[in-house]
Amino acid sequence: METRGWAFSQDLEAVIDLARDDLLGLDGGRLFITGGTGFIGCWLLECLRHAEQRLGLRLRTTILTRSVDAFRRKAPHLAEHRGFTFLTGDVLNFDFPDGEFTHVVHAAADASAKLNAEDPLRMFDSVIGGTRRALDFAVASKARRFLQLSSGAVYGRQPPDMTHVDERWMGAPDCGAPVNSYAEAKRAAEMLCTLYAKQFGAQISIARIFAVLGPYQTLDAHFAAGNFINDAMRGRAVVAQGDGRACRSYLYAGDLVVWLLRLLTRGEAGRAYNVGSSESVTIGQLAARVAALIGDGDYKILGAADAGWNPGRYTPSTVAIERDLGVTRTVSLDESILRTALWNGWKPSR
């Protein structure tokens, strides 16, 4: 697919083609999603809506949100879709909708660099309390499958000599550093999943998600790739605040949702899988790449001290999920950058 001719609908078509069997496995079911109006949630809803239209998928989906009106302004075509029902509430204490459900996807969590710095206790409570509330609902509604969206942050800092961290790594965040509140909460949330599986027989799969890029991503938050794209689109030099040596990898959101659907429908119960790209790139290389692709090539590495939770390497091994579940990465980093920019209104000049 050439970027100049790209349209978001083509991404949705690709997801349908790659995840057809998984989507058909949801046919006739009743799905509950927390965090369904965020970045990953919007992708799930877009793909479910498209599957209903393309495959005749009969699926009733209930989405928990703090504000239906705010989501209606953000994505009216999703808010008004007849297959979706919205439940207003907070993940910590939402009222359980009536009836039985077949699948639950727990994607909600207050997660931002600002909250992590200013109110880490609230973040911690949101992740753990929200997960427990979602698990309680899954048990009460007799859901067959539960998908927990966790994070690669659960491994703590990746050792410098470890190029790719896999699911067997037993590292952990430093509990003496408040900056690790999100990471440690995600670890505790995974333990909750383990306990609910043992005590209630819940069929739970866990996705440890690393960095992701694509349409619906906020460009002015704390994510380097989004900030770089934002700089280049506005004709500014792409600016990396740190020394540019930190390593990251980026999975395109279209691939992400295929992997999540596979985990939701066929993931081994009690198993956690890394979900991300194994292609590592330094932040300096990423800045140069974004500047060359959508800017005028100008970028700056300011060299400031990195105050984030992980100034080193953050790159997963995806051998296990590719081997066991047959998924693969289909969209390159360059293409991910370009599609994200195009979706946000960038007009290529050449």
Side-chain angles (χ1 to χ4, degrees):
M1 180 190 304
E2 290 189 8
T3 302
R4 286 178 184 271
W6 172 84
F8 184 57
S9 60
Q10 291 171 289
D11 277 340
L12 300 181
E13 286 290 311
V15 170
I16 299 301
D17 290 340
L18 291 167
R20 177 183 295 267
D21 290 344
D22 303 301
L23 288 163
L24 291 174
L26 297 172
D27 192 35
R30 195 175 181 204
L31 176 63
F32 184 79
I33 303 176
T34 74
T37 57
F39 170 40
I40 295 175
C42 282
W43 268 89
L44 283 168
L45 297 186
E46 288 277 13
C47 294
L48 292 175
R49 175 176 176 267
H50 200 67
E52 289 181 33
Q53 297 169 341
R54 264 281 311 276
L55 304 177
L57 191 68
R58 295 166 298 119
L59 176 67
R60 293 172 295 161
T61 303
T62 299
I63 303 102
L64 177 67
T65 181
R66 288 194 181 112
S67 173
V68 179
D69 289 339
F71 185 61
R72 187 173 289 111
R73 292 191 293 271
K74 175 182 177 179
H77 64 294
L78 296 177
E80 296 165 6
H81 180 58
R82 63 184 181 183
F84 298 156
T85 300
F86 291 87
L87 173 68
T88 301
D90 188 281
V91 70
L92 289 170
N93 53 26
F94 65 90
D95 293 330
F96 292 175
D98 294 333
E100 295 185 3
F101 283 73
T102 58
H103 299 77
V104 175
V105 177
H106 178 46
D110 279 330
S112 71
K114 186 174 187 294
L115 187 61
N116 205 38
E118 297 177 1
D119 196 352
L121 188 58
R122 176 183 162 195
M123 175 178 286
F124 197 83
D125 288 343
S126 168
V127 172
I128 296 176
T131 300
R132 185 154 194 176
R133 187 68 178 168
L135 286 165
D136 282 338
F137 168 71
V139 171
S141 66
K142 301 179 181 179
R144 296 198 303 263
R145 304 277 307 188
F146 185 99
L147 177 61
Q148 168 76 2
L149 269 59
S150 187
S151 168
V154 299
Y155 296 112
R157 289 193 179 184
Q158 191 172 332
D161 59 348
M162 181 184 288
T163 60
H164 298 81
V165 63
D166 70 26
E167 293 86 351
R168 296 168 297 178
W169 170 244
M170 298 301 291
D174 177 6
C175 289
V179 73
N180 291 321
S181 61
Y182 174 77
E184 194 59 40
K186 282 295 189 182
R187 280 174 59 85
E190 288 194 18
M191 177 55 72
L192 276 173
C193 290
T194 300
L195 298 178
Y196 271 71
K198 176 178 174 57
Q199 194 153 334
F200 300 103
Q203 300 293 298
I204 302 170
S205 296
I206 297 171
R208 290 177 179 161
I209 301 174
F210 285 69
V212 185
L213 188 60
Y216 278 112
Q217 188 162 50
T218 302
L219 297 186
D220 58 356
H222 61 286
F223 303 107
N227 290 333
F228 293 170
I229 291 170
N230 198 31
D231 285 340
M233 285 179 57
R234 281 157 177 72
R236 304 191 296 252
V238 172
V239 176
Q241 299 292 331
D243 60 17
R245 291 184 295 180
C247 293
R248 298 292 184 265
S249 65
Y250 296 88
L251 184 68
Y252 188 60
D255 285 331
L256 170 74
V257 77
V258 171
W259 294 26
L260 294 181
L261 288 167
R262 185 67 48 86
L263 279 166
L264 176 63
T265 58
R266 287 188 263 174
E268 180 182 342
R271 183 78 181 271
Y273 281 105
N274 288 342
V275 174
S277 167
S278 59
E279 180 192 354
S280 184
V281 59
T282 69
I283 294 298
Q285 291 168 338
L286 180 66
R289 216 150 159 175
V290 172
L293 284 168
I294 60 177
D296 60 7
D298 189 17
Y299 70 97
K300 299 175 182 178
I301 310 294
L302 299 185
D306 193 330
W309 73 272
N310 186 359
R313 188 180 296 276
Y314 188 57
T315 305
S317 166
T318 55
V319 170
I321 192 170
E322 292 176 6
R323 178 195 64 223
D324 295 351
L325 295 179
V327 296
T328 188
R329 177 184 173 217
T330 66
V331 181
S332 69
L333 175 57
D334 284 358
E335 189 69 18
S336 301
I337 293 167
L338 290 166
R339 293 185 192 181
T340 304
L342 285 166
W343 190 83
N344 280 281
W346 174 64
K347 306 292 186 192
S349 59
R350 59 185 187 277

